[in-house]
Amino acid sequence: MKTVNHWIGGKPVEGVSGNYGPVYNPATGAQGTQVALASVEEVDAAVAAAKDAYRTWGTSSLATRTAILFKFRELVAAHRDEIAELITAEHGKVHADALGEVARGLEVIELACALPLQLKGELSTQVSTRVDVAAIRQSLGVVAGITPFNFPSMVPMWMFPIAIACGNTFVLKPSEKVPSAAYKLGALAAEAGLPDGVLNIVNGDKVAVDRLLEHPDIAAVSFVGSTPIARHIHTTATANGKRVQALGGAKNHMLVLPDADLELAADAAINAAYGSAGERCMAVSVVVAVGETGDPLIEKITARAAGLTIGPGDDPASEMGPLITKAHRDKVASYVTGAAAQGAEVVLDGTGFTVEGYEDGHWIGISLLDKVTADMDAYRDEIFGPVLCVVRAETYEEAIELINSSRWGNGTAIFTRDGGAARRFQLEVEAGMVGVNVPIPVPVGYHSFGGWKESLFGDHHIYGNDGVHFYTRGKVVTTRWPDPSDGGINLGFPSNH
């Protein structure tokens, strides 16, 4: 059986804890890989390697860093199909979706290549007689990232390229469910010339996570995952004096006004709700249909859903793959049956779906729930599966109140032809990312990603300008070089003349 080990100090390191976790192929349900789970001592070894590497990497030139990152970008692009295959084998998403994930990660590597522009300081000359003031940004030291199962390559690439471009060294703890893609990125970074210890990868479970959160040599922690874990990460790491950005869960609404192009809206709802089997923190899980839009919109969504092909991710004909684990599949199914019991209308029920020849896979079909209300579990909880809820609203005002009452504020979208309504929505809605006729408004690499309310714990969003600020700290230097003609003693209080 294949074993995924750690990457520490620029080389593969076998696990010595004796603990291993199973890695399944979600399409077959079979375990083909095991992953070494790090002990406290193994995490400490990764942090020690990063701390040792920081002594030279932290003072390296921007030219040196960017040259390596340019080479890393070339290698990731050249190996994108291989990375996508690893993602499909362990996550289950279809190959085209996995390729898209790699492409969005490449955007952030490209931003990191241009980071010298972002790290330029500010200078004010002659603020007082022969006194200049400069503001500069410097790296933090050793930083850590803890990443989720749903984007095994993209989310790590949202973190470590910017961190190391800023002069930090990095310890990555990927999801133990999908370890191979991150390990491949570590090997490609070494091939690109990244010095030993600048990027380290430790696989593990809660033991590894808790050690990273409390380790005295780690200055900052980045996290993407569920809201309960994000809250724990933030609370624990900040209590240990660390800077934290912890991105949590979501319940993303798509508001459809009566004047919207319903063909476009139906396509968007299908793509955003069921792409990657709904295992996206930016998936649309609620459509808020205003006025008389509900019935025709549901009719169009239902017609489109009938034509979707669900199957193994490595089959080019498949448009949606399985869920990550059987336990998660059962949990998602429980929301569909629970919604029916609570009074929702089940328009499409995917709970009994399976794929011939792959009966042991973690399959679930597409579910569409109508007449969902805000007190139902399917509305209140993050389902993280291919389940779309439709809520009816009489007016825009009722719809915006519903959306803003959510405890999450990650992403949202409005579909309308009315520019005034769209402008009003983008100003009034309480969410960190807003789409206008765009269902999944994930920002490009040079803008930052992050939500509001219980979708974010900490003050900084991820990548973009916020990412640069998170992985650096400001310093102000005031300088006076006296003119040779100056001299003498003056005991008076200094003044700005």
Side-chain angles (χ1 to χ4, degrees):
M1 180 179 294
K2 173 187 172 184
T3 299
V4 179
N5 287 296
H6 313 300
W7 186 272
I8 299 174
K11 62 182 183 296
V13 174
E14 290 189 9
V16 296
S17 72
N19 296 321
Y20 296 89
V23 180
Y24 296 99
N25 181 333
T28 65
Q31 179 186 349
T33 304
Q34 65 178 3
V35 58
L37 303 179
S39 63
V40 168
E41 291 75 19
E42 289 168 296
V43 174
D44 288 351
V47 176
K51 183 178 180 181
D52 184 62
Y54 181 69
R55 292 185 176 94
T56 52
W57 184 253
T59 58
S60 62
S61 70
L62 288 171
T64 296
R65 298 177 210 163
T66 53
I68 293 170
L69 285 163
F70 269 112
K71 181 61 176 176
F72 178 57
R73 192 264 173 213
E74 292 175 7
L75 289 170
V76 172
H79 289 82
R80 67 176 71 200
D81 270 307
E82 181 183 350
I83 297 169
E85 288 170 2
L86 293 171
I87 294 168
T88 295
E90 295 180 351
H91 175 276
K93 65 177 67 175
V94 300
H95 188 71
D97 194 13
L99 282 173
E101 170 183 342
V102 177
R104 294 309 296 263
L106 279 166
E107 282 186 6
V108 180
I109 299 176
E110 290 160 3
L111 173 68
C113 291
L115 219 60
L117 288 173
Q118 303 295 109
L119 292 175
K120 288 193 303 184
E122 298 175 338
L123 175 66
S124 297
T125 60
Q126 202 69 4
V127 297
S128 186
T129 303
R130 289 190 283 278
V131 175
D132 302 329
V133 177
I136 61 175
R137 301 200 69 83
Q138 294 183 302
S139 55
L140 304 177
V142 181
V143 298
I146 302 165
T147 57
F149 75 82
N150 59 328
F151 288 103
S153 71
M154 184 183 75
V155 175
M157 286 191 280
W158 281 4
M159 296 178 184
F160 74 78
I162 293 180
I164 63 178
C166 290
N168 303 283
T169 54
F170 204 91
V171 179
L172 172 64
K173 205 300 285 183
S175 169
E176 66 277 16
K177 295 181 177 68
V178 287
S180 295
Y183 188 90
K184 179 65 177 179
L185 293 175
L188 291 177
E191 186 178 343
L194 193 68
D196 296 349
V198 175
L199 174 62
N200 305 274
I201 302 169
V202 287
N203 296 296
D205 51 16
K206 191 175 185 298
V207 172
V209 169
D210 286 345
R211 181 55 180 160
L212 290 172
L213 300 183
E214 67 184 19
H215 199 293
D217 290 332
I218 290 178
V221 176
S222 300
F223 171 81
V224 176
S226 68
T227 288
I229 305 302
R231 183 182 286 109
H232 168 74
I233 296 286
H234 183 260
T235 300
T236 307
T238 54
N240 283 281
K242 305 185 191 316
R243 182 180 291 191
V244 182
Q245 55 178 189
L247 282 67
K251 198 72 177 179
N252 304 312
H253 296 75
M254 177 175 137
L255 173 59
V256 182
L257 294 183
D259 72 318
D261 180 337
L262 293 188
E263 301 291 340
L264 175 66
D267 287 343
I270 286 282
N271 295 337
Y274 304 126
S276 198
E279 291 175 323
R280 295 171 173 163
C281 69
M282 286 294 285
V284 165
S285 52
V286 180
V287 166
V288 185
V290 176
E292 301 300 319
T293 62
D295 289 344
L297 183 59
I298 286 175
E299 181 180 341
K300 294 178 186 301
I301 293 173
T302 303
R304 285 160 170 78
L308 294 181
T309 301
I310 303 173
D314 57 2
D315 184 344
S318 298
E319 297 171 284
M320 189 183 99
L323 296 183
I324 185 70
T325 63
K326 183 181 184 299
H328 184 53
R329 182 260 173 220
D330 293 343
K331 181 180 179 182
V332 171
S334 73
Y335 280 103
V336 179
T337 56
Q342 291 177 331
E345 179 182 332
V346 181
V347 180
L348 296 173
D349 185 348
T351 58
F353 180 84
T354 189
V355 175
E356 185 177 355
Y358 294 86
E359 287 80 4
D360 292 332
H362 311 147
W363 301 105
I364 192 167
I366 286 170
S367 293
L368 177 62
L369 309 176
D370 189 18
K371 299 181 176 62
V372 175
T373 57
D375 59 343
M376 294 180 182
D377 292 337
Y379 177 82
R380 292 186 303 178
D381 298 344
E382 183 182 31
I383 299 176
F384 222 61
V387 180
L388 179 61
C389 299
V390 178
V391 178
R392 309 291 186 110
E394 291 297 322
T395 64
Y396 167 86
E397 287 76 16
E398 180 185 340
I400 194 74
E401 182 179 354
L402 173 78
I403 296 170
N404 287 347
S405 296
S406 173
R407 61 192 177 99
W408 291 294
N410 205 42
T412 188
I414 184 171
F415 277 72
T416 180
R417 291 185 175 96
D418 187 333
R423 185 176 187 277
R424 178 181 174 185
F425 178 78
Q426 68 187 30
L427 294 175
E428 292 180 345
V429 74
E430 295 177 8
M433 293 168 283
V434 181
V436 176
N437 298 319
V438 174
I440 305 180
V442 176
V444 293
Y446 39 90
H447 288 273
S448 298
F449 177 104
W452 290 7
K453 297 189 282 189
E454 291 189 27
S455 295
L456 176 72
F457 297 84
D459 297 324
H460 291 91
H461 291 180
I462 201 168
Y463 66 75
N465 286 338
D466 269 24
V468 175
H469 287 176
F470 179 76
Y471 290 123
T472 59
R473 52 186 170 181
K475 178 182 288 185
V476 178
V477 181
T478 302
T479 305
R480 180 176 184 267
W481 293 108
D483 188 276
S485 65
D486 291 346
I489 297 173
N490 183 347
L491 300 184
F493 192 85
S495 59
N496 292 331
H497 297 300

